[in-house]
Amino acid sequence: LKDAVVIVNSTRFVTGADGRLVFNGVAKGSYPITVSRHAYYSYSGTVEVNSNQAEIYLDKITAVSLPFSQSFNSNIPSNFSVYDIQITNYEQVWDFNSSTNAGGVSGELRADYRDDVSTVRMLLPPINTIDQSTINLSFRSLFDDYGVGMKILVETSTDGESWTSTGWEKLSVNNNNYGPDLISITISSNTNSPNTYIAFTVTGDLYYFDDWYIDNIQVTQPGTPLYSASFSVYDNDTDDVIPGAQVSVN
């Protein structure tokens, strides 16, 4: 697999077109390693070096069905993945943040700036869109830019390699905030597929934005009604409301 990120002894490497990395003078033994690749589940463990070649196999992320929804209570789910092949001046862009800047409850995705020119994508799990020519995407968003030189956008793909813009994008301008807003997009590119990938993408000179916050992602087929739902949690013995309880609906 090309563009797989391999971390050995805290050093970051990216596989080439043949999916290989070559190290010279490696002693026989067991080495801790982390391997991640967009559209695949990550691997963290050890690799045994006892010959001229060590192999690692990754599992492709399984497609989910419509409707799909995701909020972020405590972390980023393991079936989300990141495309980021930067090595020089690397700093992590996408992470989980406990804030509410996009307008949802505590916990959201955040893209943070770094000082380089690159493209970084946060991929949703692939979605089965067979028999659907269009799908609807909605999400809460706050984009805090810094200066001219980059943009945020939503893209789609059927293979995680070739990407098509949905037409929704924001250019960085001059230290403005866009949102918090509820964004709704009708997607007609790369649909009617067993694997439709949707990516939240930052591209350009990533020094020229501060943050992009995302929450309450929903992907539905046309005609699916969406409801606002409130949940109350009670003590089963006393019928008293329990404050601070967390509710996950997926």
Side-chain angles (χ1 to χ4, degrees):
L1 288 171
K2 70 172 184 176
D3 296 338
V5 176
V6 180
I7 298 175
V8 183
N9 293 330
S10 300
T11 302
R12 181 180 172 92
F13 305 91
V14 176
T15 58
D18 60 358
R20 300 169 64 91
L21 289 172
V22 177
F23 300 93
N24 295 317
V26 179
K28 180 179 179 180
S30 179
Y31 294 86
I33 192 171
T34 299
V35 184
S36 61
R37 205 262 188 189
H38 61 285
Y40 286 79
Y41 292 105
S42 297
Y43 170 82
S44 183
T46 58
V47 61
E48 295 292 333
V49 176
N50 52 25
S51 64
N52 289 333
Q53 180 168 311
E55 297 178 342
I56 296 172
Y57 293 84
L58 301 182
D59 292 322
K60 204 161 193 177
I61 295 174
T62 305
V64 298
S65 301
L66 291 169
F68 170 79
S69 65
Q70 185 67 60
S71 298
F72 304 92
N73 295 324
S74 58
N75 53 39
I76 300 174
S78 61
N79 61 355
F80 278 56
S81 61
V82 174
Y83 170 85
D84 186 357
I85 58 173
Q86 188 73 13
I87 297 178
T88 306
N89 297 326
Y90 171 79
E91 292 181 329
Q92 182 175 327
V93 171
W94 285 103
D95 65 4
F96 167 82
N97 195 270
S98 60
S99 54
T100 60
N101 292 300
V105 299
S106 179
E108 54 194 355
L109 285 178
R110 178 184 66 173
D112 198 11
Y113 80 97
R114 72 180 179 208
D115 191 6
D116 70 57
V117 177
S118 57
T119 296
V120 185
R121 298 182 177 95
M122 172 62 76
L123 281 67
L124 277 61
I127 300 171
N128 185 339
T129 62
I130 288 292
D131 296 328
Q132 302 295 325
S133 59
T134 62
I135 55 176
N136 298 324
L137 167 68
S138 68
F139 59 97
R140 299 206 61 87
S141 170
L142 183 139
F143 176 45
D144 179 4
D145 76 1
Y146 179 67
V148 176
M150 60 84 61
K151 67 180 178 180
I152 62 173
L153 67 158
V154 176
E155 299 177 296
T156 64
S157 174
T158 57
D159 59 7
E161 304 302 321
S162 300
W163 292 92
T164 304
S165 173
T166 63
W168 184 90
E169 63 181 43
K170 292 283 186 184
L171 299 174
S172 61
V173 182
N174 187 19
N175 206 24
N176 292 322
N177 282 351
Y178 300 92
D181 293 317
L182 177 62
I183 307 298
S184 296
I185 304 171
T186 298
I187 295 175
S188 57
S189 59
N190 296 308
T191 52
N192 193 20
S193 169
N195 295 288
T196 295
Y197 293 91
I198 299 174
F200 297 104
T201 303
V202 295
T203 186
D205 191 334
L206 302 188
Y207 184 78
Y208 288 106
F209 84 112
D210 291 321
D211 300 282
W212 184 19
Y213 298 93
I214 295 170
D215 201 3
N216 297 359
I217 300 168
Q218 291 187 323
V219 186
T220 61
Q221 59 265 53
T224 300
L226 300 178
Y227 302 96
S228 296
S230 62
F231 295 86
S232 299
V233 180
Y234 295 88
D235 184 299
N236 196 44
D237 294 326
T238 66
D239 290 335
D240 293 334
V241 172
I242 302 175
Q246 289 190 349
V247 178
S248 298
V249 180
N250 286 307

